[in-house]
PDB file of all heavy atoms in Angstrom:
ATOM      1  N   HIS A 109       5.461   5.502 -11.259  1.00 93.00           N
ATOM      2  CA  HIS A 109       5.876   6.762 -11.752  1.00 93.00           C
ATOM      3  C   HIS A 109       4.926   7.864 -11.311  1.00 93.00           C
ATOM      4  O   HIS A 109       5.336   8.887 -10.738  1.00 93.00           O
ATOM      5  CB  HIS A 109       5.940   6.702 -13.260  1.00 93.00           C
ATOM      6  CG  HIS A 109       6.966   7.637 -13.851  1.00 93.00           C
ATOM      7  ND1 HIS A 109       8.063   7.238 -14.503  1.00 93.00           N
ATOM      8  CD2 HIS A 109       7.024   9.000 -13.760  1.00 93.00           C
ATOM      9  CE1 HIS A 109       8.747   8.312 -14.883  1.00 93.00           C
ATOM     10  NE2 HIS A 109       8.139   9.375 -14.397  1.00 93.00           N
ATOM     11  N   ARG A 110       3.684   7.630 -11.540  1.00 93.00           N
ATOM     12  CA  ARG A 110       2.673   8.631 -11.249  1.00 93.00           C
ATOM     13  C   ARG A 110       2.646   8.972  -9.721  1.00 93.00           C
ATOM     14  O   ARG A 110       2.696  10.189  -9.410  1.00 93.00           O
ATOM     15  CB  ARG A 110       1.276   8.031 -11.604  1.00 93.00           C
ATOM     16  CG  ARG A 110       0.102   8.920 -11.430  1.00 93.00           C
ATOM     17  CD  ARG A 110      -1.132   8.331 -12.033  1.00 93.00           C
ATOM     18  NE  ARG A 110      -1.358   6.930 -11.632  1.00 93.00           N
ATOM     19  CZ  ARG A 110      -1.872   6.627 -10.459  1.00 93.00           C
ATOM     20  NH1 ARG A 110      -2.233   7.483  -9.582  1.00 93.00           N
ATOM     21  NH2 ARG A 110      -2.044   5.318 -10.171  1.00 93.00           N
ATOM     22  N   VAL A 111       2.594   8.007  -8.814  1.00 95.00           N
ATOM     23  CA  VAL A 111       2.442   8.301  -7.432  1.00 95.00           C
ATOM     24  C   VAL A 111       3.717   8.908  -6.834  1.00 95.00           C
ATOM     25  O   VAL A 111       3.636   9.617  -5.853  1.00 95.00           O
ATOM     26  CB  VAL A 111       1.968   7.145  -6.622  1.00 95.00           C
ATOM     27  CG1 VAL A 111       0.617   6.675  -7.130  1.00 95.00           C
ATOM     28  CG2 VAL A 111       2.999   6.022  -6.628  1.00 95.00           C
ATOM     29  N   THR A 112       4.858   8.615  -7.425  1.00 95.00           N
ATOM     30  CA  THR A 112       6.095   9.179  -6.850  1.00 95.00           C
ATOM     31  C   THR A 112       6.283  10.561  -7.355  1.00 95.00           C
ATOM     32  O   THR A 112       6.616  11.483  -6.565  1.00 95.00           O
ATOM     33  CB  THR A 112       7.340   8.288  -7.137  1.00 95.00           C
ATOM     34  OG1 THR A 112       7.459   8.118  -8.538  1.00 95.00           O
ATOM     35  CG2 THR A 112       7.251   6.981  -6.437  1.00 95.00           C
ATOM     36  N   SER A 113       6.092  10.788  -8.648  1.00 94.00           N
ATOM     37  CA  SER A 113       6.437  12.124  -9.154  1.00 94.00           C
ATOM     38  C   SER A 113       5.353  13.133  -8.792  1.00 94.00           C
ATOM     39  O   SER A 113       5.596  14.351  -8.813  1.00 94.00           O
ATOM     40  CB  SER A 113       6.738  12.126 -10.661  1.00 94.00           C
ATOM     41  OG  SER A 113       5.641  11.613 -11.356  1.00 94.00           O
ATOM     42  N   SER A 114       4.135  12.691  -8.452  1.00 96.00           N
ATOM     43  CA  SER A 114       3.166  13.657  -7.969  1.00 96.00           C
ATOM     44  C   SER A 114       3.289  13.826  -6.443  1.00 96.00           C
ATOM     45  O   SER A 114       2.478  14.516  -5.833  1.00 96.00           O
ATOM     46  CB  SER A 114       1.759  13.157  -8.332  1.00 96.00           C
ATOM     47  OG  SER A 114       1.445  11.974  -7.636  1.00 96.00           O
ATOM     48  N   ARG A 115       4.282  13.178  -5.858  1.00 96.00           N
ATOM     49  CA  ARG A 115       4.500  13.231  -4.412  1.00 96.00           C
ATOM     50  C   ARG A 115       3.301  12.728  -3.655  1.00 96.00           C
ATOM     51  O   ARG A 115       2.941  13.231  -2.593  1.00 96.00           O
ATOM     52  CB  ARG A 115       4.842  14.619  -3.975  1.00 96.00           C
ATOM     53  CG  ARG A 115       5.766  15.397  -4.914  1.00 96.00           C
ATOM     54  CD  ARG A 115       7.041  15.647  -4.212  1.00 96.00           C
ATOM     55  NE  ARG A 115       7.958  14.514  -4.373  1.00 96.00           N
ATOM     56  CZ  ARG A 115       9.237  14.505  -4.363  1.00 96.00           C
ATOM     57  NH1 ARG A 115       9.877  15.681  -4.170  1.00 96.00           N
ATOM     58  NH2 ARG A 115       9.998  13.431  -4.541  1.00 96.00           N
ATOM     59  N   LEU A 116       2.577  11.765  -4.235  1.00 97.00           N
ATOM     60  CA  LEU A 116       1.447  11.181  -3.511  1.00 97.00           C
ATOM     61  C   LEU A 116       1.972  10.300  -2.402  1.00 97.00           C
ATOM     62  O   LEU A 116       1.315  10.123  -1.394  1.00 97.00           O
ATOM     63  CB  LEU A 116       0.560  10.385  -4.481  1.00 97.00           C
ATOM     64  CG  LEU A 116      -0.934  10.413  -4.297  1.00 97.00           C
ATOM     65  CD1 LEU A 116      -1.607   9.334  -5.146  1.00 97.00           C
ATOM     66  CD2 LEU A 116      -1.369  10.350  -2.888  1.00 97.00           C
ATOM     67  N   VAL A 117       3.103   9.740  -2.630  1.00 97.00           N
ATOM     68  CA  VAL A 117       3.689   8.838  -1.609  1.00 97.00           C
ATOM     69  C   VAL A 117       5.101   9.285  -1.238  1.00 97.00           C
ATOM     70  O   VAL A 117       5.750   9.926  -2.080  1.00 97.00           O
ATOM     71  CB  VAL A 117       3.730   7.344  -2.084  1.00 97.00           C
ATOM     72  CG1 VAL A 117       2.326   6.900  -2.474  1.00 97.00           C
ATOM     73  CG2 VAL A 117       4.715   7.195  -3.249  1.00 97.00           C
ATOM     74  N   ASP A 118       5.505   8.924  -0.095  1.00 97.00           N
ATOM     75  CA  ASP A 118       6.884   9.256   0.366  1.00 97.00           C
ATOM     76  C   ASP A 118       7.879   8.178   0.017  1.00 97.00           C
ATOM     77  O   ASP A 118       9.113   8.421   0.035  1.00 97.00           O
ATOM     78  CB  ASP A 118       6.908   9.479   1.892  1.00 97.00           C
ATOM     79  CG  ASP A 118       5.999  10.625   2.354  1.00 97.00           C
ATOM     80  OD1 ASP A 118       5.739  11.521   1.498  1.00 97.00           O
ATOM     81  OD2 ASP A 118       5.569  10.566   3.475  1.00 97.00           O
ATOM     82  N   GLY A 119       7.378   7.009  -0.250  1.00 97.00           N
ATOM     83  CA  GLY A 119       8.358   5.849  -0.531  1.00 97.00           C
ATOM     84  C   GLY A 119       7.593   4.695  -1.079  1.00 97.00           C
ATOM     85  O   GLY A 119       6.382   4.685  -1.222  1.00 97.00           O
ATOM     86  N   VAL A 120       8.355   3.664  -1.394  1.00 97.00           N
ATOM     87  CA  VAL A 120       7.778   2.544  -2.115  1.00 97.00           C
ATOM     88  C   VAL A 120       8.260   1.224  -1.591  1.00 97.00           C
ATOM     89  O   VAL A 120       9.499   1.064  -1.285  1.00 97.00           O
ATOM     90  CB  VAL A 120       8.189   2.634  -3.603  1.00 97.00           C
ATOM     91  CG1 VAL A 120       7.676   1.398  -4.379  1.00 97.00           C
ATOM     92  CG2 VAL A 120       7.704   3.893  -4.209  1.00 97.00           C
ATOM     93  N   ILE A 121       7.352   0.284  -1.392  1.00 97.00           N
ATOM     94  CA  ILE A 121       7.693  -1.082  -1.020  1.00 97.00           C
ATOM     95  C   ILE A 121       7.413  -1.972  -2.242  1.00 97.00           C
ATOM     96  O   ILE A 121       6.251  -1.971  -2.707  1.00 97.00           O
ATOM     97  CB  ILE A 121       6.906  -1.618   0.185  1.00 97.00           C
ATOM     98  CG1 ILE A 121       6.973  -0.649   1.371  1.00 97.00           C
ATOM     99  CG2 ILE A 121       7.309  -2.981   0.553  1.00 97.00           C
ATOM    100  CD1 ILE A 121       8.324  -0.602   2.010  1.00 97.00           C
ATOM    101  N   VAL A 122       8.387  -2.659  -2.750  1.00 96.00           N
ATOM    102  CA  VAL A 122       8.154  -3.510  -3.916  1.00 96.00           C
ATOM    103  C   VAL A 122       8.110  -4.956  -3.524  1.00 96.00           C
ATOM    104  O   VAL A 122       9.082  -5.549  -2.977  1.00 96.00           O
ATOM    105  CB  VAL A 122       9.335  -3.294  -4.929  1.00 96.00           C
ATOM    106  CG1 VAL A 122       9.092  -4.124  -6.167  1.00 96.00           C
ATOM    107  CG2 VAL A 122       9.503  -1.835  -5.287  1.00 96.00           C
ATOM    108  N   LEU A 123       6.985  -5.588  -3.789  1.00 95.00           N
ATOM    109  CA  LEU A 123       6.797  -6.993  -3.411  1.00 95.00           C
ATOM    110  C   LEU A 123       6.841  -7.899  -4.606  1.00 95.00           C
ATOM    111  O   LEU A 123       6.715  -7.478  -5.745  1.00 95.00           O
ATOM    112  CB  LEU A 123       5.446  -7.184  -2.708  1.00 95.00           C
ATOM    113  CG  LEU A 123       5.247  -6.411  -1.401  1.00 95.00           C
ATOM    114  CD1 LEU A 123       3.889  -6.671  -0.788  1.00 95.00           C
ATOM    115  CD2 LEU A 123       6.345  -6.746  -0.381  1.00 95.00           C
ATOM    116  N   ASP A 124       7.090  -9.241  -4.339  1.00 91.00           N
ATOM    117  CA  ASP A 124       7.065 -10.217  -5.403  1.00 91.00           C
ATOM    118  C   ASP A 124       8.018  -9.849  -6.516  1.00 91.00           C
ATOM    119  O   ASP A 124       7.617  -9.695  -7.665  1.00 91.00           O
ATOM    120  CB  ASP A 124       5.632 -10.423  -5.946  1.00 91.00           C
ATOM    121  CG  ASP A 124       5.553 -11.667  -6.849  1.00 91.00           C
ATOM    122  OD1 ASP A 124       6.492 -12.483  -6.783  1.00 91.00           O
ATOM    123  OD2 ASP A 124       4.616 -11.810  -7.640  1.00 91.00           O
ATOM    124  N   VAL A 125       9.250  -9.672  -6.207  1.00 91.00           N
ATOM    125  CA  VAL A 125      10.285  -9.218  -7.110  1.00 91.00           C
ATOM    126  C   VAL A 125      10.730 -10.319  -8.038  1.00 91.00           C
ATOM    127  O   VAL A 125      11.062 -11.411  -7.565  1.00 91.00           O
ATOM    128  CB  VAL A 125      11.470  -8.633  -6.321  1.00 91.00           C
ATOM    129  CG1 VAL A 125      12.568  -8.212  -7.283  1.00 91.00           C
ATOM    130  CG2 VAL A 125      11.045  -7.485  -5.507  1.00 91.00           C
ATOM    131  N   LEU A 126      10.809 -10.096  -9.333  1.00 89.00           N
ATOM    132  CA  LEU A 126      11.311 -11.058 -10.275  1.00 89.00           C
ATOM    133  C   LEU A 126      12.790 -10.784 -10.417  1.00 89.00           C
ATOM    134  O   LEU A 126      13.334  -9.743 -10.131  1.00 89.00           O
ATOM    135  CB  LEU A 126      10.665 -10.896 -11.615  1.00 89.00           C
ATOM    136  CG  LEU A 126       9.119 -11.093 -11.670  1.00 89.00           C
ATOM    137  CD1 LEU A 126       8.609 -11.033 -13.106  1.00 89.00           C
ATOM    138  CD2 LEU A 126       8.772 -12.443 -11.045  1.00 89.00           C
TER     139      LEU A 126
END
Side-chain angles (χ1 to χ4, degrees):
Chain A
H109 207 116
R110 182 171 51 79
V111 299
T112 54
S113 58
S114 67
R115 322 245 83 154
L116 216 193
V117 304
D118 298 337
V120 177
I121 307 289
V122 183
L123 299 180
D124 192 17
V125 176
L126 300 184

